[in-house]
Amino acid sequence: SRLFLFGFSLHGLSVIISGMQDVGILRGGSLPSTLMDMGIPLTFYTQVSFMLGMLLEMAVIFYIAIRRFRILFQVFQEHAAQQQKNMDALVLGIEGERQRIAQDLHDGLGVMLSSAKIRLNMLKDQIKGNGQIGRGLNELIREIDQSHQEVRQISHNLMPYSLY
């Protein structure tokens, strides 16, 4: 901050003197000749010092800007990492829920359909004499087979690929 203030003061002094020359408070021409006319001798070249002050001021401003940019970049990186963690947790939660639903379908409803099919086959074997009831039972067994295959297919489709 000291360097900035020093550079700014040199640059500001140059702007003030130029403004005073434009308004007519100071005579035109260079500052050293104006000050020499007023009886104040200068031992250094003022325009060079003004330029050096401006360059010093710009260097400090660029340093501050780069430093701020690094801080913002780090904040954005941390935010992106947090969002990635949140997305990973969401995906894991979805995959876990899909696995649970698939297992419930396969182990619950699939087993119940298999049990019903076995019991219908036993009933069909007991009623061998009646053709119309046997055809109805065969039709019902086919529908239960199709339902069981559909439940099995759905449960396998629900299972996340990463868990295979």
Side-chain angles (χ1 to χ4, degrees):
S1 62
R2 290 182 196 149
L3 290 175
F4 178 75
L5 288 176
F6 178 72
F8 184 75
S9 63
L10 288 176
H11 183 232
L13 183 62
S14 171
V15 170
I16 290 171
I17 289 173
S18 297
M20 289 171 67
Q21 285 175 347
D22 287 344
V23 173
I25 295 174
L26 289 178
R27 278 186 342 181
S30 67
L31 179 65
S33 64
T34 304
L35 290 175
M36 190 65 86
D37 291 343
M38 294 171 63
I40 304 170
L42 288 179
T43 57
F44 63 95
Y45 191 62
T46 55
Q47 297 299 329
V48 173
S49 65
F50 292 149
M51 291 299 289
L52 288 175
M54 186 177 71
L55 289 175
L56 183 62
E57 180 182 316
M58 288 174 50
V60 170
I61 287 174
F62 281 130
Y63 171 75
I64 291 170
I66 288 172
R67 195 164 174 202
R68 298 275 179 165
F69 177 74
R70 282 184 181 166
I71 291 170
L72 283 175
F73 185 72
Q74 186 178 15
V75 167
F76 286 141
Q77 276 184 326
E78 291 170 1
H79 182 69
Q82 184 63 37
Q83 279 187 332
Q84 184 65 39
K85 285 180 186 178
N86 291 344
M87 290 301 294
D88 290 344
L90 179 65
V91 167
L92 286 176
I94 290 171
E95 284 184 356
E97 187 63 18
R98 287 178 68 181
Q99 181 184 11
R100 185 192 64 77
I101 292 171
Q103 283 178 340
D104 287 350
L105 278 175
H106 187 268
D107 297 342
L109 191 56
V111 170
M112 290 167 60
L113 287 171
S114 294
S115 173
K117 179 183 169 190
I118 290 170
R119 288 173 43 205
L120 283 173
N121 277 326
M122 288 172 49
L123 186 61
K124 185 178 88 169
D125 289 341
Q126 290 176 359
I127 310 176
K128 284 196 177 199
N130 194 339
Q132 188 175 7
I133 294 176
R135 282 190 294 276
L137 287 176
N138 281 336
E139 178 82 23
L140 192 56
I141 290 170
R142 265 194 303 275
E143 287 179 21
I144 287 179
D145 267 343
Q146 288 173 348
S147 299
H148 185 259
Q149 286 300 323
E150 186 70 26
V151 166
R152 189 170 186 273
Q153 185 66 35
I154 290 171
S155 68
H156 284 284
N157 287 342
L158 278 175
M159 192 71 122
Y161 183 73
S162 62
L163 295 177
Y164 286 124

